[in-house]
Amino acid sequence: MNEIIEAIKKSAIVIKELIETGDTDKSSSENSTGDTQLKLDIACDVIIEDIFRELHCVKEIVSEEQDDIVKVNENGKFLIAYDPLDGSSLVDVNLSVGSIFGIYENDFSGKNIVASVYVVFGPRVEMVVSFEDSVKMYRLHKDKFVFIQDLKLNEKGKLNAPGSTQNCWAPHHKQLIDDIFSDGYRLRYSGGMVPDLHQILIKGGGLFSYPGTTDRPTGKLRQLFEVFPFAHVYENAGGQAIDGNKRVLEVPTQHIHDTSPCFFGSNEEINRVLEVYSQNA
Ligand code: FDP
């Protein structure tokens, strides 16, 4: 695992440079989910793939930017699913973006995720590692990641980050979000999953939701590259991650690019979601 974390640090240092100086134009290609890829998405994908290909402990990798699984070492132990630059469309407006890594054993499924790492590229570069029973945050100082703190969620927070388009929400979801705001929660939503979830984690709690909607019944966020890695982080930090009705890590994956509705947060807010969704199942 250490080898993988060191490889991610190496990729983050190169990607930081690229974000600062690279081209934010669109490329002529689309990824598997139909998003138009930026030249930056493709460049970050190549950086990470090249670094992971050097690791003996890695059996297979799969990127959000690629259609298929890439075989690395037959005898490797770990499988890694990664989103090289989540929220890349925010680079041109200079908002924070991130890389996400889910580390799996045996197969790419929620029940087999064993660790996860994300890197936030903002005014500072920070890396969060969820492994065994801790969630640790590091910050890049010059060219070294320095340990800053262990992360733990409170039982209840103050922030609400509601994803997707409101006119596609189910009535019970809209009511839930309205009620949460009526109870004094503050809106915090940048449109970048990494900084939005990082903010809730650092500030101690709240709710991030990306529900199933009329236009996307299984949500937008991808299980292997986005949802499962953050579920591992949130559960390990003492919070919860659900699909509305159950732990999202129990949702089966049929295809590597499957999406799932998802809710991440501290216990009080997630219990509230469970109550509303169980009455509207
Ligand atoms: P983006 O489309 O910019 O790549 O991964 C998808 C994602 O960003 C997440 O980072 C973000 O949380 C979400 O989409 C935002 O979607 P909405 O604009 O539909 O809320």
Side-chain angles (χ1 to χ4, degrees):
M1 193 58 70
N2 220 26
E3 227 183 9
I4 295 175
I5 294 167
E6 287 307 312
I8 292 173
K9 287 181 186 169
K10 200 165 141 188
S11 75
I13 291 168
V14 185
I15 289 174
K16 171 191 177 321
E17 278 292 313
L18 200 66
I19 292 171
E20 286 169 4
T21 56
D23 188 343
T24 59
D25 288 353
K26 291 183 173 145
S27 73
S28 53
S29 43
E30 287 187 349
N31 65 16
S32 299
T33 327
D35 306 326
T36 302
Q37 290 172 305
L38 301 183
K39 290 179 184 166
L40 212 49
D41 289 316
I42 299 170
C44 293
D45 190 29
V46 172
I47 290 167
I48 294 172
E49 178 171 339
D50 287 351
I51 290 176
F52 283 156
R53 273 183 181 280
E54 288 172 12
L55 305 184
H56 293 295
C57 66
V58 174
K59 185 171 185 188
E60 294 173 354
I61 54 177
V62 61
S63 164
E64 202 243 341
E65 300 301 337
Q66 296 185 33
D67 293 339
D68 300 309
I69 293 173
V70 175
K71 299 208 179 301
V72 178
N73 284 305
E74 208 181 317
N75 298 322
K77 179 175 179 191
F78 297 110
L79 316 171
I80 307 176
Y82 63 96
D83 185 348
L85 200 60
D86 188 75
S88 55
S89 59
L90 299 173
V91 173
D92 62 353
V93 292
N94 206 11
L95 285 174
S96 301
V97 293
S99 302
I100 315 170
F101 304 86
I103 299 146
Y104 300 80
E105 277 182 35
N106 304 317
D107 65 8
F108 286 109
S109 65
K111 64 179 184 359
N112 281 327
I113 188 163
V114 292
S116 70
V117 180
Y118 68 84
V119 181
V120 197
F121 299 96
R124 294 160 158 180
V125 177
E126 293 179 339
M127 178 179 76
V128 172
V129 178
S130 173
F131 179 49
E132 294 177 336
D133 55 1
S134 70
V135 181
K136 296 192 180 296
M137 184 175 101
Y138 302 81
R139 188 172 296 144
L140 187 63
H141 283 186
K142 302 213 163 75
D143 56 354
K144 276 201 168 46
F145 278 91
V146 179
F147 173 71
I148 304 292
Q149 64 184 100
D150 283 294
L151 299 179
K152 218 53 209 150
L153 284 157
N154 298 330
E155 278 303 290
K156 175 183 182 319
K158 294 183 183 146
L159 307 182
N160 190 18
S164 101
T165 320
Q166 291 200 27
N167 61 4
C168 298
W169 289 353
H172 63 276
H173 183 76
K174 178 158 175 35
Q175 190 62 53
L176 168 69
I177 298 298
D178 287 349
D179 290 347
I180 290 175
F181 281 129
S182 301
D183 288 347
Y185 282 75
R186 298 203 178 107
L187 172 64
R188 291 290 184 271
Y189 193 76
S190 73
M193 186 184 192
V194 178
D196 287 337
L197 280 165
H198 189 57
Q199 178 166 205
I200 291 172
L201 198 58
I202 299 291
K203 302 283 187 198
L207 178 68
F208 174 100
S209 48
Y210 208 109
T213 53
T214 48
D215 59 339
R216 298 174 191 255
T218 59
K220 173 184 183 186
L221 301 177
R222 286 143 281 218
Q223 294 176 350
L224 299 185
F225 317 104
E226 297 171 312
V227 178
F228 294 162
F230 272 108
H232 195 275
V233 172
Y234 266 63
E235 288 191 355
N236 220 357
Q240 298 179 56
I242 59 168
D243 70 348
N245 302 298
K246 60 177 179 302
R247 286 178 72 226
V248 77
L249 289 176
E250 288 169 12
V251 175
T253 299
Q254 318 289 352
H255 185 273
I256 52 173
H257 289 282
D258 279 356
T259 59
S260 174
C262 53
F263 301 79
F264 304 88
S266 27
N267 289 319
E268 195 167 311
E269 292 80 4
I270 294 290
N271 291 340
R272 200 166 168 168
V273 175
L274 284 168
E275 201 181 317
V276 168
Y277 271 71
S278 67
Q279 287 161 8
N280 291 278

